[in-house]
Amino acid sequence: MTLPARLTGVIPPVCTPLNPRGEVDTASLTRLVDQLVGAGVNGLFLLGSSSEAAFLTDRQRVTVVETVAAHVGGGVPVLAGAIDMTTPRVVEHARAALAAGADAIVATAPFYTRVQPQEIERHFRELAHRIQAPVLAYDLPVAVHSKLGADLVLTLAADGVLAGLKDSSPDLGAFREVLRELRDGAAGEGFAVLTGSELIVDAALLLGADGVVPGLGNVDPHGYVRLVAHCERGEWKEAGAEQDRLGRLFALVDEGSPGRMGRGSSAIGGFKTALHLRGWIDHPTTAEPQIPLDERETERVAHHLAVAGLL
């Protein structure tokens, strides 16, 4: 399908179910997608951080996009991450994702080698020119060690290079600046600003953001759909209460013991364990070398789900 005039609403970054051998579990993937679409989400973002894109082989990445794009059949927009170190490699991933059925590409700044704003600007311009498809910038400084400045984003938006921004940075000041300048007409009507934070959706939408890309939306898509609906209707008290409930549920990402694993293993393990407990995926397997949750940690995730009314 073609993208809507502007991406809005809830666009979860879809987890990638794996079987115990580490292969993409396409049956679980389509079942998860059915749950998300059935909850009323507005799109699907594949191959982002919550999708474990950094851990998947090129073939697995294509399998994910092919499976989901064919399954939804144009029912909702499918965005695909093209995450890699350099422009030529990102272009290759992007072309493969588009050939597999993606409607738009989400890309970070280049990484591994330090780059400056001039190189980042050239990266996005070259990517958009070479693939001739909508590109959203993924601001993820914790992983790529480069912050997308508001001036750069706004310039690329005004020039039609970018179709949107997924902001997963902690810099709320820059996020607000982008939104303020967009309100003043600094970019075209179709430019979408999406927050990647699970915890400040109500605040982001109050500031003028168009939607949210929440990893926790895999686990409780209905909650995020309700939250966005409250915000759209101006029901800020109800929105705040739903945001607080989701914030408490989000604690499941920290149940992996820091003595055994890093926070990435804990967070992805928490999401996948929750999805397994809900019966939405067959296995909570995470990609190597991440460390899986143990029995006690799984019990604590189950407790969070029960408190939230999801078990």
Side-chain angles (χ1 to χ4, degrees):
M1 69 176 296
T2 57
L3 290 182
R6 176 188 286 134
L7 289 167
T8 62
V10 182
I11 305 172
V14 183
C15 287
T16 305
L18 302 174
N19 64 28
R21 297 183 300 279
E23 301 163 341
V24 177
D25 179 353
T26 56
S28 289
L29 178 57
T30 54
R31 190 160 68 247
L32 172 58
V33 165
D34 284 341
Q35 292 290 345
L36 300 175
V37 173
V41 304
N42 304 89
L44 302 168
F45 172 34
L46 312 176
L47 305 182
S49 302
S50 296
S51 312
E52 298 171 278
F55 300 91
L56 302 179
T57 66
D58 291 356
R59 181 62 242 174
Q60 287 175 318
R61 292 187 186 196
V62 170
T63 296
V64 168
V65 179
E66 286 179 340
T67 300
V68 174
H71 188 67
V72 300
V76 295
V78 174
L79 286 62
I83 313 299
D84 215 316
M85 295 178 288
T86 66
T87 304
R89 294 176 64 84
V90 171
V91 169
E92 285 190 359
H93 288 303
R95 286 173 173 164
L98 292 167
D103 301 301
I105 296 301
V106 184
T108 69
F111 54 94
Y112 185 76
T113 298
R114 291 277 186 175
V115 290
Q116 300 301 314
Q118 298 91 334
E119 288 93 18
I120 296 172
E121 178 176 352
R122 186 180 183 198
H123 168 73
F124 282 112
R125 290 187 184 278
E126 285 294 318
L127 174 60
H129 173 70
R130 294 188 199 180
I131 67 172
Q132 294 295 301
V135 175
L136 284 81
Y138 188 177
D139 194 8
L140 190 65
V142 68
V144 305
H145 310 298
S146 295
K147 176 75 181 78
L148 299 181
D151 288 346
L152 172 60
V153 170
L154 291 164
T155 295
L156 294 174
D159 290 349
V161 174
L162 294 177
L165 168 70
K166 176 186 183 289
D167 190 307
S168 294
S169 79
D171 190 344
L172 295 180
F175 184 68
R176 184 173 188 135
E177 181 181 351
V178 169
L179 290 168
R180 183 183 67 244
E181 294 297 323
L182 290 174
R183 286 198 301 270
D184 292 340
E189 290 293 322
F191 188 81
V193 181
L194 310 170
T195 178
S197 171
E198 287 87 354
L199 302 178
I200 61 162
V201 178
D202 55 345
L205 294 181
L206 180 61
L207 289 173
D210 299 294
V212 58
V213 186
L216 187 64
N218 286 276
V219 178
D220 191 1
H222 292 88
Y224 281 98
V225 170
R226 285 194 299 270
L227 171 55
V228 169
H230 284 312
C231 294
E232 289 174 343
R233 293 192 292 264
E235 298 167 352
W236 298 109
K237 181 178 179 181
E238 293 84 355
E242 187 66 28
Q243 180 69 88
D244 288 343
R245 187 188 69 82
L246 290 165
R248 290 188 289 271
L249 177 62
F250 189 64
L252 64 82
V253 304
D254 292 316
E255 291 303 346
S257 170
R260 291 199 319 111
M261 66 182 69
R263 193 169 188 270
S265 289
S266 178
I268 298 299
F271 288 159
K272 285 190 161 182
T273 296
L275 291 171
H276 177 59
L277 290 168
R278 297 205 72 187
W280 292 5
I281 65 174
D282 288 339
H283 306 279
T285 304
T286 52
E288 295 178 343
Q290 296 176 107
I291 297 171
L293 303 191
D294 63 20
E295 185 174 349
R296 291 188 63 185
E297 292 158 347
T298 297
E299 290 173 355
R300 293 198 292 268
V301 171
H303 175 73
H304 289 294
L305 293 175
V307 169
L310 301 180
L311 277 185

